Amino acid sequence: MITAHSISVGGIVTSYCENGAGEPILFLHGAGFGEEGRASFIRQLNGLSDDFRVIVVDQLHFGGTDYPADGTHINRLGRVDHVIGFIEALGLKQITLVGHSEGSFVAARVAILRPDLVSKLILLTANSVSPAFGDDRDEAWVQACRQTYDYSGPMPSEEEYIAAWRKGCRAYGHDVEDAKRDAYRRAAARGQWRIWQSLTEEETNVHLYVVLQQKYIFPYLDRLRARTLIIWSKNDPTVTPEQGLKLAKLIRSSDFHLLNNAGHAIQIDQSEAVNRLIRQWQG
């Protein structure tokens, strides 16, 4: 049974869910309006709990975790210390840490900084840790990112939000829709849309967005001590399979898997395959 909890991390009330028992696996969600742990990883909470203690945490200003008092956006680098504090608050060490989308940046940075906490690292389809091509091939995924993460208009209604999600989902189920509706209502009630409308140019300009990974991720990947599993989508317009392969080549102790018929939310669209790969790799 999935249980909801909260814990203080350096004075920050932090919300998380867990299910199962055994070796802990901590999942980090991506960024965007309505993102949170349970909605992102409902099929891992249910699908892996027979073998593992599955933990999903709401990062800063997501889900039920505290928002900054001034309502400012905290970027992916700013979420790293909070995740480290969360792992320590639970008394965990040498865990498997999984990141999806921007959560992959946070997970990789935590593994770089604290190898005592992370023994295995899993990265799921993530532009936030993917090398750009540096040529005309970048234009397509840059445009896709601009369209996907456009917060210039009014906040969508709940039905508009769900309709947009269903249009892009390749494996619909009431389990995910129910979690998505709960996540939307939390985000709407807490004014999260305003945070995304106040993003800095460093977050909205994709050519500037890559600076953090170039400074804080790529120079350290050849020294990464955690065994790394990379699971990539073949059908995500915001990040290409070739970028995933480039990332895998930067990490010496990595395994790379490409899954077809999956969009950005690969852990939802191909949940059985993702769970199977995680289970086999953990063995």
Side-chain angles (χ1 to χ4, degrees):
M1 177 184 293
I2 298 173
T3 57
H5 308 272
S6 64
I7 191 171
S8 177
V9 178
I12 298 166
V13 176
T14 301
S15 174
Y16 69 101
C17 293
E18 64 175 286
N19 195 12
E23 184 178 347
I25 304 179
L26 173 60
F27 289 82
L28 305 180
H29 60 77
F33 176 75
E35 290 295 322
E36 64 176 40
R38 186 173 182 270
S40 294
F41 299 110
I42 187 68
R43 291 184 175 167
Q44 284 63 53
L45 279 162
N46 287 322
L48 290 170
S49 59
D50 53 341
D51 290 322
F52 305 101
R53 179 187 178 191
V54 182
I55 307 167
V56 299
V57 62
D58 294 338
Q59 296 176 71
L60 291 170
H61 66 62
F62 293 96
T65 290
D66 279 351
Y67 282 33
D70 59 2
T72 57
H73 172 261
I74 298 175
N75 71 12
R76 55 205 181 280
L77 184 64
R79 300 177 208 133
V80 171
D81 285 344
H82 175 247
V83 170
I84 290 174
F86 175 75
I87 297 170
E88 292 179 327
L90 290 188
L92 302 175
K93 290 184 178 180
Q94 293 297 285
I95 65 168
T96 296
L97 185 59
V98 185
H100 170 245
S101 194
E102 275 200 5
S104 282
F105 179 100
V106 179
R109 187 63 183 166
V110 171
I112 288 166
L113 292 175
R114 295 294 303 271
D116 58 313
L117 298 181
V118 182
S119 63
K120 298 174 185 175
L121 177 67
I122 301 176
L123 306 176
L124 305 175
T125 300
N127 190 281
S128 65
V129 289
S130 303
F133 296 113
D135 56 35
D136 292 344
R137 290 174 294 174
D138 289 329
E139 188 58 30
W141 65 260
V142 167
Q143 288 297 332
C145 286
R146 287 172 178 162
Q147 293 175 10
T148 301
Y149 304 107
D150 180 9
Y151 298 101
S152 59
M155 185 180 76
S157 68
E158 181 176 331
E159 294 309 317
E160 289 170 336
Y161 176 80
I162 293 298
W165 164 72
R166 288 192 67 170
K167 183 178 180 180
C169 181
R170 294 168 183 254
Y172 171 79
H174 287 291
D175 57 339
V176 186
E177 179 173 332
D178 291 346
K180 285 284 186 183
R181 288 185 179 277
D182 288 344
Y184 173 91
R185 292 165 188 165
R186 248 184 304 275
R190 303 188 77 183
Q192 194 187 76
W193 188 260
R194 291 193 297 274
I195 291 178
W196 300 112
Q197 290 195 312
S198 64
L199 294 177
T200 64
E201 187 180 3
E202 286 75 12
E203 294 296 305
T204 58
N205 184 332
V206 180
H207 298 290
L208 297 177
Y209 179 86
V210 301
V211 171
L212 287 184
Q213 65 199 42
Q214 292 169 344
K215 184 174 181 180
Y216 294 99
I217 300 296
F218 296 156
Y220 305 96
L221 290 181
D222 62 341
R223 289 176 274 166
L224 194 63
R225 287 165 52 183
R227 283 183 56 215
T228 304
L229 173 64
I230 302 172
I231 308 176
W232 220 254
S233 167
K234 189 177 180 180
N235 316 106
D236 181 359
T238 68
V239 60
T240 67
E242 290 77 15
Q243 289 172 277
L245 284 167
K246 287 186 71 175
L247 173 64
K249 291 177 180 178
L250 294 175
I251 305 175
R252 288 180 294 179
S253 59
S254 66
D255 296 319
F256 179 83
H257 295 266
L258 182 66
L259 300 183
N260 194 15
N261 195 30
H264 188 61
I266 191 171
Q267 75 278 11
I268 298 296
D269 292 345
Q270 284 284 5
S271 60
E272 291 186 7
V274 168
N275 292 351
R276 182 173 62 253
L277 286 169
I278 292 174
R279 189 176 281 107
Q280 291 172 347
W281 191 69
Q282 290 286 102

